[in-house]
Amino acid sequence: MPAEPATAPVRNTRPPTAQAALGVGVIVEDGRGRILLGRHHSGTWELPGGKVDATHESIAAAAVRELREETGLVVGEASVDVIAMVHDVIGGINRISMAAVVRLTSGDPEVTEPHLISAWRWTAPEELPDPLFDPSAQILAVWRPDLGITHPPAHTLRIAECGRIGPTV
């Protein structure tokens, strides 16, 4: 009697239960070395940014989209440098914020979401207003550790220029 063909194992295609939120914070630098911060109605100052869409959107594409949606500023994906990943836990959810940098030569930000942001302001990094939105503070601290920005504890991974990811101290 011939041997029965082996049956292939059933692939588990069920996704794991969500326990993370992925976002991007965009450090927008102007030609004078200032960065763009928005005054949230809660009273905090924050970088442009937000969640990465669950539609196979890249980090750079999310940065471009969020910047356009929140400020009206338009940049191309090639102008976005993703420099680090910041990871903390809030309310049992792993919050992963990607830090991106965009350098602008011109453009004036507009308040396009007045229900969230009351004003955009160009600020010298050495003169950051208080209080900063926690994820923005974490991203800015990774970008410029020399500024001594206080923020909630977070794990960080710097993204090296050659494209490799490595831990930071």
Side-chain angles (χ1 to χ4, degrees), residues 26-115:
V26 186
I27 300 165
V28 183
E29 290 183 283
D30 71 1
R32 296 172 40 194
R34 299 175 303 173
I35 61 171
L36 186 61
L37 292 173
R39 177 73 170 188
H40 192 273
H41 286 294
S42 69
T44 61
W45 289 91
E46 61 185 55
L47 297 167
K51 293 179 185 169
V52 176
D53 281 344
T55 58
H56 302 289
E57 183 177 48
S58 71
I59 302 301
V64 167
R65 178 183 51 75
E66 288 288 351
L67 185 60
R68 184 187 69 253
E69 288 176 359
E70 293 183 7
T71 70
L73 296 171
V74 178
V75 299
E77 286 183 42
S79 68
V80 176
D81 291 325
V82 180
I83 62 166
M85 180 188 83
V86 178
H87 165 227
D88 66 3
V89 179
I90 300 295
I93 298 294
N94 287 289
R95 181 170 55 186
I96 300 166
S97 300
M98 302 303 292
V101 178
V102 172
R103 290 166 188 86
L104 290 181
T105 54
S106 64
D108 293 316
E110 301 172 21
V111 175
T112 59
E113 296 178 332
H115 59 289

Side-chain angles (χ1 to χ4, degrees), residues 6-14:
T7 58
V10 176
R11 255 183 82 214
N12 179 1
T13 58
R14 186 182 66 237

